[in-house]
Amino acid sequence: MSPEIYPLIGLVCGLVGGWIWENVIPSGIAAIAIALLAGLIAEASSSFDGLGLLMVVLGTILAGLMSFFGTVTGTRLKEYFERKSE
């Protein structure tokens, strides 16, 4: 799996979580779970090696961090559109 997908998973989960729950924890858990699952499925389809598993772990951490920024952005976008509609 391409390493560029991990930050996107985190950002999308964060945006959705920030828009719906306005909380970092649900979006972070979702981002970590989805990134870990996707990485392990992609790694299982190829040969298991130490570098591949390290990339899955680092990508999962990156997805969790990006979910924080996505949550902040999603919350601010929701507040902006609510103010604009008033």
Side-chain angles (χ1 to χ4, degrees):
M1 184 165 76
S2 176
E4 292 89 14
I5 196 73
Y6 291 107
L8 293 176
I9 290 172
L11 190 63
V12 169
C13 288
L15 283 172
V16 171
W19 189 273
I20 294 173
W21 294 292
E22 297 178 1
N23 195 347
V24 175
I25 294 173
S27 58
I29 291 171
I32 289 170
I34 292 171
L36 188 61
L37 186 64
L40 289 177
I41 289 172
E43 197 58 33
S45 65
S46 65
S47 63
F48 276 108
D49 59 341
L51 185 60
L53 291 176
L54 178 66
M55 289 301 296
V56 169
V57 170
L58 292 177
T60 303
I61 292 169
L62 183 59
L65 292 174
M66 285 299 292
S67 73
F68 172 76
F69 295 111
T71 302
V72 171
T73 304
T75 304
R76 291 195 182 197
L77 282 173
K78 183 179 180 181
E79 291 172 356
Y80 172 77
F81 286 120
E82 286 175 350
R83 278 194 313 249
K84 192 144 179 120
S85 66
E86 293 175 353

